[in-house]
Amino acid sequence: MEKITDRLSALREVMKQNGVSATIIPGTDPHGSEYLPNRWKEREWISGFNGSAGTAVVTLEKAAVWTDSRYFIQAEDQLKDTTFELMKMKMPETPSINEWIISQLKAGETVGLNPQMFAHHAFTETANEFTFNQLAVKSIDLIDLTNKNRDELPQNQFYIYDVKFAGKSAADKISEVRNEMKKANTNVYFMNSLDEIAWLFNIRGNDVNFNPLTISYAAVDTENAYLFIDEAKVTPLTKSALAAEGVTIKSYLEIYDYLQNLNEKSHVLVDGNRINQSLYEAIPSSSTIKLASSIVTHLKSQKNEVELDGFRQAMVKDGVALTKFFMWLEENIEQNINEVTVTDKLIELRAQQENFKGASFGTICGYADHGAMNHYSATPESAYTLGKEEMLLIDSGAQFLEGTTDITRTLMLGEPTAQQKIDYTLVLKGNIALSEAVFPVNSRGSLLDVLSRKALWENGFNYGHGTGHGVGHFLCVHEGPQSIRLEENLTPLKVGMVLSNEPGLYRDGEYGIRIENLMVVQPAMSTQFGDFLKFEILTVSPIDTKLIDTNLMTTQEIEWLNNYHQFVFEKISPFLDEKETAWLKEKCEAITK
């Protein structure tokens, strides 16, 4: 197998040939995706680090990878013996990528950037910082020049997503987009984010792991809508179905011709945080460009009633599968079950549910100290055998035609320590506090984040990840623009937005705790002081009461938990056999102080 050091040497040779002294290699693709086809796994190819977040930088003498706290341990292991240095993001001693490059290069040297792999805003900001510091910037795809054995892009055919699940036809959605375009005084709207295209045209695919997406571009103008996609992916059925919705199919790379041939009367709306620089540069200077948030991002974030009913159905299916799973786990814990076995069993049981389409992300199953690694991914080599002595964290999810699920439960099959119960209860208090939130219309997620952390902060504890991310409807498990986190996000929470609620606590070398439900924003009340919103909990699966220290909980918190467990039992029990129902009833028994 080709070594990372050999790949670095080959890349540096290409850099020298093209007068480049440094290059940045993001862990993304021309569509800004989280999960990538093999062809575009460039950062992984050059460094060996395969976490979902991270950026590699290579100079003629040094190499480094920047990633966040979720992946520090994983990155240290995967970068071993590669000559890549780990740069721990958000640590006080860690310079930014641009600062580090500027410190390594001399005035007049050149940084090579692949414009396909940078959104317009990111490319512009990066280039401006370099040129201000007397470094040149060159648009060049160095990895393509270096790696002569790249995989081809997937050729999987896409399919039409039935309106009975989507709730709205593609034609109706396109009409909504045109209304928004008119409000923005634009007549051309372009998209390169795969989940936006899938939602708008009611199509789904199998081109990447976990997300039901098909690699494509899209454009809407006042008269036409276009899907730019590899012709091998198109069937007569999908072509005619899209034509009936007013969508014309063109070849994938024809998007460049489309943009280059826009006339001077074109007022083009693009999202500068999404459109890649290569496509941005294809728009003629004679056209007027309006940089604004993507129209579809906001439209699809507010789920319609059909989508929300689908979510509720998907959660029941997931709850049934998880009930069977946790029963199996308890009964077989002595049978050499490991972290990988858990992943396989979850897939097996979820697949028994109708309309299952796969996992929504790679299962995180962390036993003992592995649970302290936020995004730990077990391998046959690293997997622990499970037992009753330590805590177990399982974060998993599924894709059903009805909706996407994401749930984390932490449990212990043996007897927990007093400290474990304290830690777990404080995390649960945060989950409940956010679940019960009532807040004014136009509130941002950052205003609510403190609710999930208050009990932890009061005891000197914290966690490094966000509390809530948006979730797509049979789309991406991580979806914007909404979020609940400490960092400011100007997007207000709106009715119909689905988010996770997942506070945690992680003790390095010991264990990790996270409790996650999905919830949807709903109207709460209207008073003389305005309109208020609340959350409806969607996830239906018991929360482990064995780990709770009830002395730390208020009467109101205990009441919330008991009501939640009654809700779980009522939703799931009709789909269980007698033994499973008895097991669930025990897990949902009311607790008292």
Side-chain angles (χ1 to χ4, degrees), residues 423-453:
D423 290 353
Y424 183 91
T425 307
L426 294 177
V427 172
L428 177 59
K429 287 169 70 72
N431 182 286
I432 294 173
L434 184 56
S435 300
E436 291 195 300
V438 176
F439 48 97
V441 164
N442 292 322
S443 295
R444 304 179 304 281
S446 57
L447 300 180
L448 303 182
D449 190 85
V450 64
L451 297 175
S452 65
R453 299 178 192 266

Side-chain angles (χ1 to χ4, degrees), residues 471-516:
V471 179
H473 178 254
F474 187 41
L475 280 172
C476 301
V477 76
H478 298 133
E479 176 181 273
Q482 70 272 28
S483 66
I484 299 174
R485 58 190 309 120
L486 287 171
E487 294 83 359
E488 185 59 270
N489 176 353
L490 296 179
T491 302
L493 301 184
K494 297 181 179 180
V495 171
M497 286 182 169
V498 175
L499 301 106
S500 66
N501 172 2
E502 49 184 311
L505 192 160
Y506 311 92
R507 291 187 181 273
D508 288 346
E510 297 184 53
Y511 53 81
I513 299 166
R514 188 160 64 250
I515 302 171
E516 176 187 20

